[in-house]
């Protein structure tokens, strides 16, 4: 929510372009704290609406429109998916949520286990959510589009791919989100990568675990899109 730009993660999404003959639209959304919620999710939703409206000129099949993101971007992708459902926005074929940041409350077991060490620990998570939500954080004033883990209704969503590492803050909130989708009759493919830390695949791209994680995402996209 507070760092990164539209080129973050380019190595992976450019591979999707090559492997799937896909068109990728990478959004530059405003960052907190200068631009708190709802600016980031509104920017991303506007990007989805624009992309769908210009699908033909971009060479995109509107029936195979997929949203995705990693970390905060994964949380925003989940929030935009909920928003598109609720507002009757563009129809999505799927949502690719890579270790998504979806729960502002920071109260899970994994959020307490990863504290004081690692790439993104409990304190980092507090910093990011405080920047995004300010005084509204951990109150009933937090929107499900900002913190999708708060959504009690996750029915009628497109198929989801959710992955997360076993040694990161987001593990339990992401597993719970997949479980809620299943409970309500939805489709979700969940991977918990053993021994991984937050962003492991980007920081150690040649590690065997990273190669497996990226291959699983690509395989899901290939199956979803029939590519």
């Amino acid at each position: 929510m507070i760092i990164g730009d539209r080129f973050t993660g380019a190595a992976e999404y450019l591979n999707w372009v090559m492997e799937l003959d896909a068109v990728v639209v990478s959004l530059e959304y405003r960052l907190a704290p200068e631009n708190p919620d709802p600016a980031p999710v509104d920017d991303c939703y506007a990007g989805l609406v624009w992309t769908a409206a210009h699908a033909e000129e971009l060479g995109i099949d509107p029936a195979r429109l997929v949203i995705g993101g990693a970390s905060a971007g994964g949380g925003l992708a989940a929030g935009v998916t909920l928003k598109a459902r609720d507002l009757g926005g563009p129809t999505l074929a799927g949502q690719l949520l890579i270790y998504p940041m979806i729960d502002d409350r920071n109260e899970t077991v994994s959020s307490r286990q990863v504290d004081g060490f690692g790439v993104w620990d409990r304190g980092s998570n507090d910093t990011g959510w405080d920047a995004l939500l300010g005084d509204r954080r951990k109150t009933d004033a937090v929107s499900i589009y900002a913190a999708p883990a708060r959504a009690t209704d996750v029915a009628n969503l497109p198929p989801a791919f959710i992955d997360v590492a076993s040694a990161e803050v987001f593990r339990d909130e992401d597993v719970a989100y997949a479980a809620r989708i299943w409970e309500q009759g939805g489709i979700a493919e969940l991977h918990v990568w053993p021994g991984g830390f937050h962003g492991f695949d980007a920081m150690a791209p040649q590690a065997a675990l990273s190669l497996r994680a990226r291959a699983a995402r690509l395989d899901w996209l290939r199956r979803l899109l029939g590519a």
Side-chain angles (χ1 to χ4, degrees):
M1 303 298 182
I2 57 177
I3 57 175
D5 59 30
R6 66 188 182 280
F7 301 113
T8 304
E12 183 165 16
Y13 64 68
L14 289 176
N15 187 55
W16 302 339
V17 172
M18 299 297 293
E19 293 289 332
L20 304 171
D21 191 27
V23 176
V24 172
V25 178
S26 184
L27 300 175
E28 186 85 44
Y29 59 86
R30 290 170 290 172
L31 298 174
E34 292 82 2
N35 300 282
D37 177 68
V41 74
D42 282 353
D43 288 352
C44 293
Y45 184 73
L48 171 63
V49 171
W50 182 91
T51 300
H54 293 81
E56 183 175 355
E57 66 187 81
L58 294 170
I60 295 173
D61 179 353
R64 296 194 295 173
L65 194 60
V66 179
I67 192 169
S71 194
L76 290 167
V80 169
T81 301
L82 290 166
K83 193 168 186 176
R85 178 200 64 181
D86 296 344
L87 299 183
T91 299
L92 291 165
Q95 51 178 328
L96 176 61
L97 311 179
I98 302 170
Y99 32 77
M101 177 179 177
I102 57 175
D103 195 342
D104 66 292
R105 293 163 292 194
N106 212 22
E107 294 174 350
T108 64
V109 171
S110 60
S111 74
R112 298 183 186 282
Q113 287 176 328
V114 184
D115 190 359
F117 62 92
V119 175
W120 185 266
D121 73 344
R122 180 176 180 81
S124 305
N125 210 32
D126 281 332
T127 298
W129 282 114
D130 285 347
L132 183 72
L133 299 173
D135 292 341
R136 287 182 293 135
R137 188 180 169 213
K138 299 187 179 184
T139 73
D140 292 339
V142 175
S143 165
I144 62 170
Y145 309 135
R150 288 174 169 269
T152 56
D153 178 8
V154 293
N156 302 310
L157 295 176
F161 178 100
I162 301 172
D163 75 350
V164 67
S166 67
E168 70 169 303
V169 168
F170 301 140
R171 182 193 66 211
D172 295 345
E173 64 199 59
D174 293 350
V175 170
Y177 197 65
R180 191 171 305 125
I181 291 173
W182 296 326
E183 289 166 1
Q184 297 183 24
I187 299 171
E189 179 171 322
L190 173 68
H191 295 262
V192 181
W193 300 109
F197 56 89
H198 186 64
F200 68 95
D201 56 308
M203 297 183 189
Q206 297 307 314
L209 191 68
S210 302
L211 296 175
R212 287 171 53 201
R214 292 192 171 190
R217 297 166 196 157
L218 180 62
D219 178 65
W220 179 81
L221 283 168
R222 185 174 280 119
R223 286 183 281 114
L224 181 75
L225 300 174

